[in-house]
Amino acid sequence: AKRLGRNRSVGYRRQFDSHAGNRLRLVQELHRALEREEFELVFQLQFDADDRPCGTEALVRWRHPRRGLLGPAEFIDACEDSGLVLPLGRWVLREAVRHWRRLDERGWGALRMGVNISALQFQESLVEDVGQLVAELGLPRGALELELTESVLLANPVDAGRAMGALNAMGASLAIDDFGTGYSSLAYLMHLPLQRLKLDQTFVRDVGRNPDSEAICSAILRMAQGLGLGVIAEGVEAWHQLDWLRQRGCDEFQGYLLARPAAFDAVLERLGASPGR
Ligand code: C2E
Ligand code: CA
Ligand code: CA
Ligand code: CA
């Protein structure tokens, strides 16, 4: 029995080491991926209540030399734990803004470019980076929208509020991502300089089949209207969801029903001719 116990503990240790080893290898690979520019962005179009395109969200992908195109679920945690999310996030921001420029050249400058900001990234250097991009590229107000999660705001609401104010002053708008899934105090919403809530996909998915989720959606929509915030529903996959949300005053929609995340050229093709020409 004693021996068995020992073996077991050795077995456990090996498993643990191999997990840590895998993580280390992944982080090394990610470092190289940044140097070799193996990351790319795909873009998911967003639509207003009249079915007109109103924005796009930049989503990062890793074109892995052997494993093919990987989504953030495969690597974003490792990036956050290792701090790599800082240089990656900076690259994403610049690349997204560069693509907004290209949209503008095609006459689609009214579209917003949404960029996901990780918790670690939400600090003073982000304000500086955005300031630099705005100065360099002369972004008009509202062209860039930063998507923050509730946890970021909760960690330090006073500093978060100050940084958000500075970002707003430079013309970047701010959205709360995955809204309704975190634990943010609703009172903060009143004081933070915010433009939009992104209604989380889990609620949207349940529209038409779970009255509790519907109640949450209705409440969020009513509250946002009262506070003068826009709401974009995420993960819209069915017409009945879109109709239900639209009837309750939801402004904007994003989801596979309307557009899948796609390479930039495919997005341009989907947009077609310039608006109003
Ligand atoms: P998110 O910000 O909530 O992004 C929406 C995710 O939902 C995307 O997954 C998108 O492809 C997916 N999606 C869109 N429409 C639908 C739909 O109708 N149904 C379903 N089931 N899914 C839909 P993706 O691209 O795999 O990204 C996952 C998460 O990774 C993002 O969630 C975001 O938190 C993070 N992420 C993506 N790009 C970046 C980035 O550049 N920086 C950082 N820090 N995080 C990123
Ligand atoms: Ca997002
Ligand atoms: Ca989201
Ligand atoms: Ca999410």
Side-chain angles (χ1 to χ4, degrees):
K2 202 176 173 193
R3 206 187 171 102
L4 184 67
R6 213 145 112 233
N7 282 347
R8 254 205 207 132
S9 111
V10 167
Y12 170 77
R13 178 98 183 258
R14 275 219 186 98
Q15 218 178 327
F16 179 80
D17 286 349
S18 107
H19 177 77
N22 284 341
R23 190 36 89 88
L24 194 64
R25 260 194 303 282
L26 177 59
V27 169
Q28 285 166 346
E29 262 194 290
L30 283 163
H31 267 287
R32 275 199 299 274
L34 255 181
E35 285 164 15
R36 294 177 186 168
E37 297 182 64
E38 289 171 4
F39 292 103
E40 48 190 70
L41 296 181
V42 291
F43 301 88
Q44 187 175 27
L45 282 171
Q46 303 160 332
F47 297 83
D48 67 16
D50 301 318
D51 301 323
R52 283 187 300 243
C54 56
T56 179
E57 178 175 3
L59 297 160
V60 71
R61 299 288 181 266
W62 179 11
R63 193 165 293 282
H64 192 282
R66 289 185 320 279
R67 294 167 62 202
L69 199 62
L70 305 180
E74 311 266 355
F75 59 87
I76 212 79
D77 282 353
C79 285
E80 267 166 28
D81 296 348
S82 63
L84 261 179
V85 78
L86 290 174
L88 176 64
R90 182 172 280 155
W91 179 85
V92 167
L93 188 62
R94 180 162 283 274
E95 198 65 7
V97 167
R98 221 169 54 75
H99 280 92
W100 179 85
R101 272 257 153 262
R102 292 185 59 197
L103 283 176
D104 187 37
E105 284 160 16
R106 300 292 192 99
W108 289 100
L111 266 60
R112 286 192 311 268
M113 177 62 73
V115 177
N116 291 288
I117 301 297
S118 82
L120 198 64
Q121 206 187 344
F122 191 66
Q123 46 171 291
E124 205 47 43
S125 60
L126 176 71
V127 179
E128 288 162 17
D129 287 351
V130 170
Q132 202 179 336
L133 283 173
V134 169
E136 233 176 82
L137 299 163
L139 282 179
R141 178 157 287 279
L144 177 64
E145 182 157 283
L146 305 177
E147 301 189 1
L148 312 169
T149 54
E150 290 171 77
S151 56
V152 172
L153 308 181
L154 207 64
N156 191 341
V158 175
D159 283 358
R162 202 173 293 137
M164 291 166 80
L167 290 163
N168 257 193
M170 294 187 289
S173 64
L174 298 164
I176 301 194
D177 209 350
D178 306 338
F179 188 77
T181 59
Y183 299 93
S184 65
S185 150
L186 295 177
Y188 290 145
L189 291 180
M190 239 168 24
H191 303 296
L192 292 172
L194 267 180
Q195 281 66 48
R196 210 171 326 278
L197 305 178
K198 297 197 77 177
L199 184 57
D200 192 68
Q201 342 197 336
T202 53
F203 304 118
V204 173
R205 193 182 306 141
D206 274 354
V207 163
R209 65 179 194 203
N210 181 342
D212 291 346
S213 292
E214 290 178 351
I216 291 177
C217 286
S218 300
I220 290 175
L221 286 165
R222 262 199 315 276
M223 179 187 71
Q225 278 154 15
L227 292 171
L229 298 173
V231 178
I232 179 161
E234 289 193 277
V236 177
E237 293 184 354
W239 289 112
H240 75 266
Q241 297 165 342
L242 183 74
D243 290 340
W244 192 97
L245 291 159
R246 184 158 41 196
Q247 274 163 28
R248 283 156 188 83
C250 189
D251 302 306
E252 297 180 348
F253 308 89
Q254 177 178 353
Y256 294 164
L257 176 71
L258 304 164
R260 297 218 166 223
F264 187 73
D265 288 344
V267 171
L268 280 184
E269 205 165 301
R270 165 78 187 268
L271 286 170
S274 302
R277 269 178 222 174

